[in-house]
Amino acid sequence: MEAFLQYLTFPFLLEGMWLTLRIFVASMVGGLALGLLIALMRLSPYRALSALAWTYVWLFRGTPVLLQLVFLFDALPFVGIVMPPVTTAIIGFSLNEAAFAGEIIRGGILSVSRNQTLAAASLGMGPLLSLRRIVLPQAMRAILPAVGNDAISVLKGTSLASVIAVNELTLRSQQIVAQNFKFFPVFAAAGLMYLTVTTLIAGVQFLLERRVSPDVDRSKRPRSETALGRFFGFRLRPPQPETAPAPVWPAAATRDGAAAARGAPVDLVELVGAQAARTGGDHDGPFVRCADVWKSYGHRAILQGIDFTVHRGDVVTLMGPSGSGKSTLLRLITHLEPVDRGEITVGGRHVGYERVDGGALRPSRHVARERAQARIGMVFQQFNLFEHLTALENICEAPVRVHGERPEVARARATTLLSSVGLAYHADHLPSRLSGGQQQRVAIARALAISPRLMLFDEPTSALDPELVSEVLSVIRRLAEAGMTMIVVTHELRFAREVADRIVFMADGRIVEEGTPEEVLERPREPRTQQFLKLVQE
């Protein structure tokens, strides 16, 4: 026992442990950074990049790390590249770890629903911002356990560096045993050193997993934000209304903000009217114009020559059977998907397209920026709230990260909007803690936070229980009263009759019939419309 304790504090072994730790930390940092790049290349739509990343993973996962270290140390000098043993070990372990980390990160990214990236894109977030703020924080739940396990393997694998004369812990242990033949105390001391570090790694893994877990009560977490949390979006503190500076809004909106701070209900009509005054344009023609729009997925035609317009302040409902192209049309308007043929303008401008010589349209290189400038709010059928952010944080995300608003201003407005949809006391709740109706109302508030000129609703009540439908429809009714320009995909006949200025009935990718609610719902002309209404009313 005395010999064991002696070797546990033996400077020669402690120096070896310190060198092992340096190689391990440097290799993990380099491997994870390169692994993220490999993962993004594997997910790239460009086949050359994807193939290059796949080849890298195939090569480094398929050959032993021992051979890779020997190759770097012995073969590279023949081409004039000579590196010290420790540097060679760090590069070798980093290159090997990148292949495994890349697949781990790729799997984590794929585990995040595509609806999350669609929601981020609809708010004007670009691919990199969406990756950093929305995708990676959620992917961490899948990535961290695998990376923690991999990190322990890398730590233990550093013993292989002895093959290229790196005097790390294992090699030093062998050197001592070769002199005094005390196998047990020397290797037991070295083993305990490894075990201590792996325990620390497991502890860090546990804390990080707890950090990103959606099941942890956020009210019990520390109030301080870390730089990592702010960067990745793990935590954005809820506002302190009593101390937040008053935002510079029109008088009506400022009064509403004060009411929200007291928990009082807010007049959504007055609030949206104030926002519309700030974002209104001087475009005189149709606010939304779709001209000969075509869209196909493979050989299946979804939209076939769609022509229709929406004027400022109009509420247009799209109705029709499933698969008729209603949701696709909404995604085309905000350029979440590209148009195959035809053109769409919002406020007289194309979103995500630019004209070239000859008058043809081509995709713009600044799609995210143009989405943000178009100020189109979209509410999805499945809510698509960011699962790792609270209700308040969901609403603040786009104003702060996309439109550059000061956090205190965005938080004050978010508090106002939550109050306006009846959720003032749910600001710090994660989406998983909210009912379906509450989630959809938060989604509406999130869309309103960007001061939209146009609101798109994609069957906002179809995923809700019948008793929750009314609370969402009441919010949309109040938006209509406020004069918000809206296109609503819905099968709610009563809602369409009460709120819509015009109903557009679609089937098989075409507009079959359109007119006022009385014309379409009470006196439909087309047999296809009559058949659909009969089925819905039964």
Side-chain angles (χ1 to χ4, degrees):
M1 186 64 176
E2 181 179 351
F4 168 73
L5 294 176
Q6 175 187 353
Y7 286 114
L8 194 59
T9 57
F10 193 43
F12 186 69
L13 287 182
L14 291 176
E15 290 173 4
M17 187 73 252
W18 173 239
L19 179 59
T20 297
L21 284 175
R22 286 162 49 200
I23 295 173
F24 161 71
V25 172
S27 299
M28 285 302 300
V29 171
L32 289 174
L34 184 56
L36 176 60
L37 178 61
I38 293 296
L40 296 180
M41 289 174 64
R42 287 271 278 138
L43 296 170
S44 170
Y46 301 104
R47 292 187 177 181
L49 289 178
S50 180
L52 182 62
W54 182 90
T55 302
Y56 180 95
V57 172
W58 168 76
L59 178 63
F60 279 89
R61 284 201 311 181
T63 54
V65 65
L66 183 65
L67 294 182
Q68 295 167 18
L69 291 173
V70 170
F71 175 82
L72 289 173
F73 191 70
D74 292 334
L76 291 184
F78 285 103
V79 294
I81 302 176
V82 180
M83 297 179 292
V86 173
T87 303
T88 302
I90 291 173
I91 293 176
F93 286 122
S94 296
L95 293 175
N96 182 268
E97 171 58 19
F100 293 90
E103 290 299 277
I104 292 172
I105 296 172
R106 184 175 71 92
I109 292 175
L110 290 176
S111 71
V112 178
S113 171
R114 183 173 177 269
N115 290 335
Q116 295 285 292
T117 56
L118 283 177
S122 73
L123 294 170
M125 301 177 74
L128 291 180
L129 182 59
S130 298
L131 177 70
R132 178 168 67 87
R133 297 289 303 176
I134 306 303
V135 176
L136 281 181
Q138 297 183 57
M140 286 296 177
R141 297 199 293 264
I143 291 173
L144 284 174
V147 167
N149 186 61
D150 209 36
I152 292 174
S153 295
V154 171
L155 175 69
K156 295 186 294 184
T158 55
S159 60
L160 296 174
S162 60
V163 75
I164 56 173
V166 175
N167 206 9
E168 45 71 55
L169 178 60
T170 301
L171 181 58
R172 289 176 183 240
S173 301
Q174 293 172 342
Q175 291 171 348
I176 294 175
V177 169
Q179 295 176 0
N180 60 17
F181 299 101
K182 295 182 179 180
F183 291 92
F184 180 78
V186 174
F187 285 125
L192 185 57
M193 291 181 184
Y194 277 115
L195 186 60
T196 300
V197 177
T198 57
T199 302
L200 291 175
I201 293 173
V204 171
Q205 175 188 335
F206 172 79
L207 293 176
L208 290 176
E209 287 181 16
R210 182 176 174 81
R211 178 77 177 176
V212 302
S213 172
D215 299 321
V216 176
D217 185 355
R218 292 197 166 196
S219 64
K220 298 180 181 178
R221 288 180 175 175
R223 288 182 176 271
S224 60
E225 288 184 16
T226 63
L228 183 65
R230 287 194 299 270
F231 183 82
F232 281 113
F234 293 143
R235 183 75 171 126
L236 179 64
R237 278 194 57 199
Q240 304 298 321
E242 67 277 9
T243 60
V248 183
W249 285 2
T254 304
R255 291 196 304 272
D256 288 343
R262 296 191 304 269
V266 175
D267 185 354
L268 186 61
V269 173
E270 189 176 359
L271 173 61
V272 173
Q275 290 192 161
R278 290 183 296 137
T279 59
D282 56 2
H283 181 68
D284 295 327
F287 189 64
V288 179
R289 185 176 69 90
C290 299
D292 193 31
V293 174
W294 292 73
K295 178 65 179 179
S296 299
Y297 297 119
H299 298 292
R300 183 188 174 197
I302 303 299
L303 296 176
Q304 306 180 61
I306 296 295
D307 291 283
F308 92 115
T309 58
V310 178
H311 289 82
R312 188 181 299 278
D314 281 356
V315 178
V316 176
T317 60
L318 302 181
M319 305 187 74
S322 298
S324 57
K326 306 182 299 298
S327 298
T328 299
L329 180 58
L330 295 190
R331 290 196 294 270
L332 295 182
I333 290 174
T334 193
H335 199 98
L336 294 179
E337 295 185 20
V339 173
D340 291 344
R341 199 169 85 199
E343 63 178 306
I344 299 174
T345 58
V346 178
R349 297 182 178 182
H350 297 95
V351 180
Y353 292 94
E354 57 187 6
R355 288 204 180 277
V356 295
D357 295 338
L361 292 174
R362 70 178 180 187
S364 170
R365 289 175 295 179
H366 309 288
V367 176
R369 185 175 67 190
E370 292 181 16
R371 282 199 202 103
Q373 292 172 345
R375 300 274 183 174
I376 302 173
M378 187 161 182
V379 179
F380 296 85
Q381 178 179 352
Q382 299 294 335
F383 323 137
N384 293 359
L385 295 178
F386 304 135
E387 297 175 1
H388 63 301
L389 300 179
T390 64
L392 185 88
E393 293 166 351
N394 264 275
I395 299 171
C396 290
E397 189 68 16
V400 173
R401 306 293 171 180
V402 177
H403 298 285
E405 291 186 5
R406 299 200 316 273
E408 61 270 19
V409 174
R411 290 168 182 169
R413 181 186 299 170
T415 304
T416 300
L417 288 168
L418 281 173
S419 180
S420 72
V421 296
L423 296 173
Y425 297 103
H426 295 78
D428 205 30
H429 289 185
L430 289 168
S432 60
R433 306 299 185 191
L434 301 174
S435 69
Q438 290 171 336
Q439 289 189 55
Q440 195 63 293
R441 282 184 282 159
V442 173
I444 294 173
R446 181 179 67 179
L448 290 173
I450 64 172
S451 300
R453 299 184 299 163
L454 170 68
M455 285 286 287
L456 308 178
F457 292 88
D458 186 7
E459 299 193 48
T461 60
S462 64
L464 302 177
D465 294 333
E467 62 267 23
L468 300 177
V469 170
S470 60
E471 62 186 40
V472 173
L473 293 183
S474 67
V475 175
I476 302 176
R477 283 191 183 92
R478 289 155 63 197
L479 291 176
E481 294 171 8
M484 175 66 71
T485 307
M486 295 190 291
I487 303 176
V488 184
V489 174
T490 184
H491 292 156
E492 298 287 338
L493 298 185
R494 180 180 175 184
F495 170 79
R497 183 180 289 108
E498 294 176 356
V499 176
D501 298 301
R502 194 165 89 254
I503 294 178
V504 176
F505 181 79
M506 296 178 62
D508 302 322
R510 301 178 186 275
I511 293 179
V512 175
E513 185 172 354
E514 61 179 307
T516 65
E518 292 77 13
E519 292 171 342
V520 176
L521 300 181
E522 304 298 336
R523 300 182 300 276
R525 300 185 305 273
E526 300 296 329
R528 189 69 180 85
T529 311
Q530 296 170 4
Q531 179 186 7
F532 175 80
L533 292 176
K534 182 179 179 181
L535 292 173
V536 171
Q537 291 170 350
E538 287 181 350

